[in-house]
Amino acid sequence: LYHFYNVEDIIPINGKKLYSRQGTSINTRLILIDGAKAVPDGAAPLKNKLHSTVVNTHEELWDRVGLGSITSPNPQTKDVKVIKLRAKAILIKQKQISSVNTKKSFEIIHNEIVDYLKNLKGAYQIEDVFENPNKYGDVVSHFSARYDQKDRWNYRKAQFVITWNQLSLFIPDFGYRTLPDTDIKNLLPLLKEGFPLLFNSPA
């Protein structure tokens, strides 16, 4: 980036403090670029204190981007164009972070899946854990259910994990699958593939 573009700043952002209410809390970086270089040249600078300073509030982000000190600039100046680009970059980043969210919160969807499991024929001992965030900054749901009971010692166990902000489903011995969205109807075909004896039973 530094070789081909005029990089003005690289801003580390504390995702947990700024974006957790939008459904994710992954730490991110906002890179401010003022156009491409006419002639590619140079390389990234050495680590410095500014680029290592993490932004923890929206006010800090506003000031760091440079919008906080602007009052009424001349609309014809180059600075105005830069300011508009910076503001647009912030909006794009916020949209990207919130794009994995839905009208329902992840916790509501988690509870809907728990209710579905409890009403599923043959499923029992339903266990679930909702983490927002977990130690890696992800929004994660853990589910398990016993089924196909012959006696108290013979049963199967369905376990699966959903990482909501990454739209991924993990089933042991089956691997990861990408979710098209957070709709439970689109999740069921993948669960039926992983646990056919349980999820092919009528709810």
Side-chain angles (χ1 to χ4, degrees), residues 78-131:
K78 180 182 176 183
D79 289 340
V80 174
K81 294 181 180 179
V82 173
I83 291 169
K84 289 181 178 179
L85 289 173
R86 288 175 172 174
K88 186 176 181 180
I90 294 174
L91 291 174
I92 290 173
K93 184 61 184 177
Q94 289 176 333
K95 288 180 180 179
Q96 288 175 338
I97 292 176
S98 62
S99 64
V100 297
N101 205 351
T102 62
K103 293 181 181 179
K104 298 179 182 178
S105 73
F106 294 134
E107 189 167 11
I108 290 175
I109 303 168
H110 171 100
N111 291 331
E112 287 180 351
I113 295 174
V114 172
D115 290 339
Y116 181 89
L117 291 173
K118 289 180 177 179
N119 291 316
L120 195 61
K121 184 179 179 181
Y124 63 102
Q125 289 190 9
I126 312 300
E127 297 179 359
D128 67 286
V129 176
F130 180 74
E131 298 179 289

Side-chain angles (χ1 to χ4, degrees), residues 2-47:
Y2 277 92
H3 185 71
F4 292 99
Y5 298 92
N6 298 307
V7 179
E8 291 195 346
D9 199 357
I10 297 179
I11 307 174
I13 299 174
N14 186 331
K16 183 176 181 180
K17 292 187 177 180
L18 268 74
Y19 300 114
S20 59
R21 291 185 178 180
Q22 293 175 286
T24 186
S25 55
I26 299 174
N27 292 331
T28 59
R29 283 186 175 89
L30 178 64
I31 302 175
L32 303 181
I33 297 176
D34 184 17
K37 293 181 178 179
V39 179
D41 180 51
L46 296 176
K47 182 178 180 180

Side-chain angles (χ1 to χ4, degrees), residues 47-61:
K47 182 178 180 180
N48 59 58
K49 184 177 180 179
L50 176 64
H51 292 167
S52 302
T53 302
V54 178
V55 169
N56 293 301
T57 67
H58 288 94
E59 289 76 16
E60 289 179 14
L61 179 60

